[in-house]
């Protein structure tokens, strides 16, 4: 059996993008099912449709690529077009775009990551220290 190294690497890359997309998208969906509490939950209440336009647009572009891929497969089956590796490259592009869309959704649905929470807690501690210093200065 002859193994085409380029195709194997390409399909491996598409699988890795697919797995990463499932992880990011799954995290975004879990936040939708069980939203965070506190400040992050209040921020999700004010989520606007403008935040979702870019990920949905990227997903629709992926569907357009899939539609074009079906047309090319039909034309190739009829013998009109001879694009042998079009499906291979289309799948890689779709995997990459879905990965980008999943990251966009993750950033929209997870407003406070660990670094933001740590930054916020540092800011609260700094404000508290400033208040204590102000109160000590008044005495």
């Amino acid at each position: 059996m002859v193994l085409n190294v380029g195709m194997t690497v390409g399909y491996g890359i598409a699988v890795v993008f697919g797995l990463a997309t499932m992880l990011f998208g799954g995290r975004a969906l879990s936040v939708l099912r069980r939203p965070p509490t506190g400040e992050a939950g209040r921020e999700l209440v004010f989520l606007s449709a403008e935040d979702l336009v870019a990920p949905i647009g990227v997903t629709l572009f992926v569907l357009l690529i899939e539609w074009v891929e079906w047309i090319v497969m039909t034309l190739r089956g009829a013998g009109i077009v001879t694009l042998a590796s079009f499906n291979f490259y289309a799948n890689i592009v779709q995997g990459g775009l879905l990965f980008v869309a999943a990251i966009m959704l993750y950033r929209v649905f997870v407003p406070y990551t660990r670094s933001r929470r740590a930054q916020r807690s540092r800011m609260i501690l700094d404000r508290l220290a400033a208040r204590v210093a102000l109160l000590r200065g008044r005495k």
Side-chain angles (χ1 to χ4, degrees):
M1 177 173 96
V2 177
L3 184 65
N4 187 345
V5 177
M7 293 287 254
T8 305
V9 169
Y11 285 126
I13 290 171
V15 166
V16 168
F17 275 142
L19 290 174
T21 300
M22 286 189 292
L23 289 174
F24 276 103
R27 175 67 181 135
L29 289 176
S30 72
V31 168
L32 278 180
R33 281 185 300 160
R34 194 172 9 112
T37 58
E39 191 69 29
R42 284 190 287 277
E43 186 170 317
L44 278 175
V45 169
F46 296 107
L47 182 69
S48 66
E50 292 175 2
D51 298 330
L52 299 175
V53 168
I56 291 173
V58 170
T59 306
L60 290 175
F61 187 67
V62 168
L63 290 175
L64 175 70
I65 292 173
E66 184 67 25
W67 183 65
V68 169
E69 183 181 357
W70 288 350
I71 291 172
V72 169
M73 283 175 33
T74 303
L75 293 176
R76 193 173 61 200
I80 298 171
V81 177
T82 58
L83 297 173
S85 58
F86 180 77
N87 296 352
F88 166 69
Y89 292 115
N91 287 335
I92 290 176
V93 169
Q94 285 175 329
L97 288 175
L98 284 175
F99 181 65
V100 168
I103 290 175
M104 287 176 172
L105 284 172
Y106 181 79
R107 292 189 66 173
V108 168
F109 290 136
V110 184
Y112 286 100
T113 60
R114 280 189 190 149
S115 63
R116 284 177 124 182
R117 282 194 304 257
Q119 179 183 8
R120 185 169 176 83
S121 64
R122 270 194 311 269
M123 187 174 63
I124 289 172
L125 288 175
D126 288 343
R127 285 182 185 167
L128 184 61
R131 286 181 188 159
V132 169
L134 182 67
L135 289 174
R136 284 187 182 167
R138 286 185 182 172
K139 287 183 180 181

